[in-house]
Amino acid sequence: MNWMQATHFFRPRLLDSMQGYDRHRWVQDVGAGMTVGVVALPLAMAFAIASGLKPEAGLFTAIIAGFLISALGGSRVQIGGPAGAFIVIVYGIVERYGLANLILATAMSGVLLFFMGLFRLGNLIRFIPVSVVIGFTNGIAVLIMLSQIKDFLGLKIASMPADFFGILHALWHHLHSANLAALLLALASLSLLIGWLRMSRRLADTRLQAIGAVPGSIIALVFATLVTWLLSLPVETIGSKFGGIPSALPAFEWPAFGWDSARFLLMPTLTLTLLGAIESLLCARIADGMTGDRHNPNQELMAQGIANFVTPFFGGMPATGTIARTVTNIKSGGTTPISGMVHALTLLAVVLVAAPLAAHIPLAALAAILMFVAWNMGEWREFLLLRQYRMPYRVTLLAVFFLTVVFDLTVAVEVGLMAACLTFIYRISSLSRCESVGQRDHPILAGHQAHIQAWRVYGALFFGAVKLIEDIEDKISTPVVVVDLKNVIYVDSSGADALMNLIDTCRKKEVRLIVCGLQHQPLDIARRSGLLLHLDGQLEADLPSGLQKAIGLLAPQGQ
C-alpha cells in the first residue's frame, strides 16, 4: 500500500481543515478551546471519581485522549474525553477485576474500535434502533444519579457496591450517617447550576451574554470550594479523599495484570467498544446537524481506538465523544479540530499550574454537578410519548431501560438488539404477501381457471416469509401454476430454497410451474443458487393452444 492509498483509509479531518485556515479562525478556535477546557475541568474529575478512580484519571484522559481524538478524528468539532456513559461500566470493572484489568479492557476496546473503523464498519452503528439508544441512555442517567447519592448526602460508606440492589442496600443502611453540611452544600450547588442555566438563557441575546457564557459548573465549583474553605465545613474534599491531584502528567506504565482475571474481560471490553462507538458517532451526528458538516465515521472510530489504546497506559480511563462539550465548542465558535486540541492543552496548563487548588474541592459539589449532567443526559420526555408508538417500540425501550438499571448494560443492549431484530423480522414478514390472480385481474384467464392457478408475491421473500411459498404448495390443484415475482424486491437463500421446494413439489405432482418477473437482486440470487437451471426445459407443446396463449399473456417475461 503506497502513501496515497494509506491516506485514503486514514485521513484525519485536521488535514482538510487547514485549507484556507487564517488568523480569524485561529482566534475563534483558541477561544472556543479554552472555554471547553474550563467546562471539561470539573466534569473530568467528577466522572473519574464516580467511576471509582482518582480525579486525575479523568483529567489525564481529557488531556491525552481529547488531544488525540481531535487531531486524528473524522469530525471537525467533536470533543473527546471521559463521559458519563462509562461510569457504570468502569466502576463495575474496577470493583470486580481491579485497576490493572481496566487498563487492559480499555486498551483492548481501543484495538477493536480501530479495526471497526479500518474495516469501514462505522455506518453499521447507525442501524442500532432509537429505542435501544434511548433506553440505555436513560438507564445510565438513573444509575449515575443513584451512584452520586452517597456524596450528595455525605454518607460514610467505605466502598460502594457495583450492582443496583447492592447500591440500594448500602445507601439504606448508611442513611443515618448523612452529613447535613454536605447535603446543604450539594443542594446549594445544584440550585446554583439550575439558576445559572436559566439566567444564561435570558442573557443570550443581551449585552451581558458574555457573563451567561461562563459555564455554570465552574460557578458552582468555585462557590462550593470557597464556602468550604472559608467556613471550614466538615465535608469530604478531593484532598481529604485522594490527597489532591499531581501537578504533572504521569509516565508510561505497563500494569501488572493476570490472565486469570483478564480472560473474563471479553464482555466488558465489548461493552466499552459498543458504547464508545455509539456515543462518539451519535455525538458526531448531532454536531453535523448543528454545523451542516458531515463527519467520517470510520476515521472517527480509528481515532477513538488510538486514544483508548494509548490513554490507559498513562493513567487514563475510557474516552469517547462528549455531547455537552462538543455543543459548547460549537456554540463558542470552534470550527476545526484545533479547538479540541486547545481544550486539551488548556486542561494541561491547569494541571501544571493550579493542581494544588483542587484539593479544596468538595465531593458534594461534584456530586451535584453529576446529578445535573445526568438529568440533562436523559431523554425523559420519551417516557411520556410512549403512547404514540407501537407496542414493540415501547417494550424494547422499557426493557432496555429496566435491564440497564437493574442488571447490566451489556445484557440490556443484547436483549434490546434481539427484540428490535425480532420486531423488524415480524414487521417485514407481515408486509410481504401473496395474492391469487383471478379472472377479474386477468380476463385472459376466463375459461382457463380450471387449468391455471396464478399467484402474485409482494415484498421480501426471506426466511421470515417463506410460508407464502409453502401455502402455494398446499393449494396446487391445476396442471399449470404461474408465480409472478415482479413485485418482490429481495430474496434470500431461504426464499430461494423455498422456490426450489416448490419446483420439486410441482414435478412430483406433474404440474407445470412458471416463475416470472425475476429482476435485480431476486434474478441475481436465482442465477447464483441454480434456480434458473431448474426452471429450464419445461415445454408447453403438450398444452392446448388456448392455454399456451393465456400463459404467454399472463407471464410475458417467461422465466
Side-chain angles (χ1 to χ4, degrees):
M1 180 182 293
N2 58 35
W3 169 251
M4 294 299 294
Q5 291 174 320
T7 54
H8 174 71
F9 283 98
F10 190 89
R11 184 175 180 83
R13 291 301 297 272
L14 178 63
L15 298 178
D16 301 323
S17 301
M18 291 297 96
Q19 298 177 5
Y21 197 71
D22 54 21
R23 183 177 179 277
H24 175 69
R25 295 177 68 187
W26 161 257
V27 172
Q28 281 187 306
D29 285 339
V30 170
M34 295 178 67
T35 302
V36 177
V38 173
V39 173
L41 178 64
L43 295 180
M45 292 188 292
F47 290 149
I49 294 172
S51 301
L53 305 172
K54 293 183 178 181
E56 59 264 28
L59 291 174
F60 296 156
T61 303
I63 294 170
I64 301 173
F67 188 90
L68 291 174
I69 290 172
S70 292
L72 304 176
S75 172
R76 291 178 181 268
V77 293
Q78 177 150 273
I79 303 296
F86 284 127
I87 289 177
V88 180
I89 305 302
V90 173
Y91 190 86
I93 295 175
V94 172
E95 284 291 307
R96 296 170 189 169
Y97 307 108
L99 180 60
N101 286 299
L102 170 65
I103 295 174
L104 178 61
T106 306
M108 289 167 59
S109 72
V111 174
L112 291 179
L113 283 168
F114 182 85
F115 280 105
M116 283 178 65
L118 185 65
F119 291 113
R120 330 308 287 172
L121 300 180
N123 290 322
L124 293 181
I125 302 299
R126 298 181 179 182
F127 295 140
I128 296 179
V130 174
S131 57
V132 175
V133 175
I134 294 175
F136 79 69
T137 300
N138 288 4
I140 290 171
V142 169
L143 287 175
I144 292 174
M145 288 189 282
L146 189 65
S147 69
Q148 295 310 297
I149 293 178
K150 168 184 173 292
D151 290 329
F152 197 91
L153 299 178
L155 303 180
K156 296 180 180 179
I157 303 177
S159 178
M160 284 288 287
D163 62 291
F164 174 73
F165 294 107
I167 293 174
L168 291 181
H169 183 269
L171 291 175
W172 176 255
H173 282 273
H174 292 84
L175 199 59
H176 65 278
S177 65
N179 185 332
L180 181 60
L183 174 59
L184 293 176
L185 188 64
L187 289 173
S189 301
L190 186 58
S191 300
L192 185 56
L193 277 167
I194 297 173
W196 191 267
L197 176 63
R198 292 180 177 177
M199 188 193 72
S200 63
R201 289 174 177 173
R202 293 176 181 175
L203 298 177
D205 298 323
T206 67
R207 295 180 180 180
L208 300 177
Q209 60 180 349
I211 297 176
V214 178
S217 56
I218 290 296
I219 300 297
L221 198 66
V222 171
F223 162 78
T225 303
L226 287 175
V227 169
T228 301
W229 179 62
L230 292 174
L231 301 180
S232 299
L233 295 179
V235 298
E236 204 168 30
T237 64
I238 287 181
S240 63
K241 179 73 178 288
F242 304 102
I245 61 175
S247 57
L249 288 177
F252 177 87
E253 183 177 353
W254 187 264
F257 50 80
W259 172 249
D260 290 339
S261 56
R263 61 194 176 96
F264 297 109
L265 294 176
L266 177 60
M267 290 310 298
T269 298
L270 293 177
T271 303
L272 289 175
T273 303
L274 181 62
L275 191 56
I278 293 173
E279 283 286 308
S280 63
L281 297 184
L282 179 63
C283 177
R285 289 182 65 183
I286 292 174
D288 288 350
M290 296 180 66
T291 62
D293 192 25
R294 179 168 294 182
H295 71 284
N296 182 339
N298 298 307
Q299 181 63 39
E300 188 64 31
L301 288 182
M302 286 191 282
Q304 300 282 345
I306 294 172
N308 278 283
F309 181 78
V310 173
T311 305
F313 296 110
F314 290 91
M317 58 186 289
T320 185
T322 56
I323 296 176
R325 277 158 276 176
T326 299
V327 172
T328 301
N329 182 38
I330 296 170
K331 291 184 176 180
S332 300
T335 59
T336 72
I338 296 295
S339 60
M341 298 161 69
V342 171
H343 131 267
L345 296 176
T346 300
L347 285 172
L348 176 60
V350 171
V351 169
L352 296 178
V353 176
L357 299 178
H360 302 289
I361 297 176
L363 298 185
L366 292 177
I369 291 173
L370 275 186
M371 287 273 196
F372 184 75
V373 169
W375 177 258
N376 288 300
M377 171 183 172
E379 298 185 46
W380 312 111
R381 289 188 59 192
E382 293 298 323
F383 288 134
L384 301 177
L385 300 176
L386 280 178
R387 289 180 296 178
Q388 301 179 6
Y389 297 99
R390 293 179 177 271
M391 184 59 69
Y393 179 93
R394 298 184 218 168
V395 171
T396 302
L397 192 153
L398 292 175
V400 172
F401 172 77
F402 177 78
L403 292 172
T404 299
V405 173
V406 177
F407 291 100
D408 183 74
L409 178 64
T410 306
V411 175
V413 173
E414 289 174 351
V415 172
L417 289 176
M418 185 178 299
C421 289
L422 292 175
T423 301
F424 177 78
I425 292 170
Y426 172 76
R427 291 294 299 160
I428 294 300
S429 62
S430 65
L431 292 175
S432 301
R433 68 185 194 277
C434 180
E435 295 180 352
S436 174
V437 180
Q439 179 179 342
R440 182 175 302 176
D441 301 295
H442 278 278
I444 193 66
L445 287 174
H448 297 293
Q449 286 189 303
H451 304 284
I452 303 176
Q453 281 181 305
W455 306 88
R456 185 172 293 138
V457 183
Y458 297 84
L461 189 56
F462 69 115
F463 63 90
V466 294
K467 191 176 184 301
L468 299 177
I469 303 301
E470 294 172 355
D471 290 341
I472 294 176
E473 291 184 38
D474 297 335
K475 296 175 181 177
I476 294 176
S477 59
T478 58
V480 179
V481 172
V482 178
V483 179
D484 184 3
L485 300 180
K486 68 181 179 182
N487 295 304
V488 173
I489 59 174
Y490 174 76
V491 177
D492 71 350
S493 56
S494 297
D497 187 63
L499 290 172
M500 291 288 292
N501 291 335
L502 178 61
I503 293 173
D504 293 337
T505 300
C506 288
R507 283 176 175 168
K508 291 176 182 177
K509 294 183 177 182
E510 297 182 349
V511 171
R512 169 145 173 80
L513 174 66
I514 297 177
V515 177
C516 63
L518 286 170
Q519 53 188 338
H520 306 305
Q521 190 274 344
L523 178 59
D524 179 61
I525 196 169
R527 287 170 177 158
R528 290 189 287 112
S529 65
L531 180 64
L532 288 183
L533 296 177
H534 288 273
L535 291 171
D536 286 341
Q538 301 184 38
L539 303 177
E540 303 176 12
D542 298 330
L543 299 177
S545 59
L547 188 56
Q548 292 182 32
K549 182 179 179 182
I551 294 173
L553 292 174
L554 186 63
Q557 298 183 39
Q559 298 171 0

